[in-house]
Amino acid sequence: MPVGGRVTASLSGGERQRVAVARALVNKPALVLADEPTGSLDSELRDALCDVLYDIPRRWGASLLVVTHDATVAARADRSVRMVRGSLLDESTPR
């Protein structure tokens, strides 16, 4: 088996991203921070990863914070907050 960075060098961006998510979740943390977790994935893998991520609070009782530009990913959240010109806007508050 290759040693050092040679293994990851042979992985695609999407494969590296999935490995990073798996490593982050293996110890069942109480808080999961996901910054653009689906950025390198196609729509099928994006949906599968979202199934896993958005199931974490229900299965583990953990908190999940997802930062994304992908409206499809954001739409699956229980609560959505947008940042506009440096200000946070609570999406659940009528405008």
Side-chain angles (χ1 to χ4, degrees):
M1 176 160 192
V3 183
R6 289 178 268 177
V7 171
T8 57
S10 65
L11 299 176
S12 71
E15 289 169 328
R16 280 189 222 132
Q17 194 153 4
R18 285 177 281 170
V19 168
V21 169
R23 289 180 64 191
L25 299 179
V26 73
N27 290 322
K28 295 184 178 178
L31 172 63
V32 177
L33 302 174
D35 183 12
E36 295 290 353
T38 61
S40 299
L41 305 178
D42 62 32
S43 60
E44 185 177 332
L45 288 173
R46 175 201 63 208
D47 293 343
L49 179 58
C50 282
D51 288 344
V52 170
L53 286 177
Y54 286 111
D55 195 40
I56 287 171
R58 183 188 64 76
R59 292 193 340 163
W60 300 351
S63 296
L64 172 66
L65 174 72
V66 176
V67 177
T68 186
H69 290 92
D70 187 330
T72 303
V73 174
R76 295 190 61 177
D78 292 334
R79 180 172 180 225
S80 179
V81 178
R82 286 184 34 212
M83 181 176 273
V84 178
R85 288 185 228 106
S87 297
L88 292 178
L89 304 176
D90 186 340
E91 289 293 299
S92 62
T93 304
R95 293 185 184 156

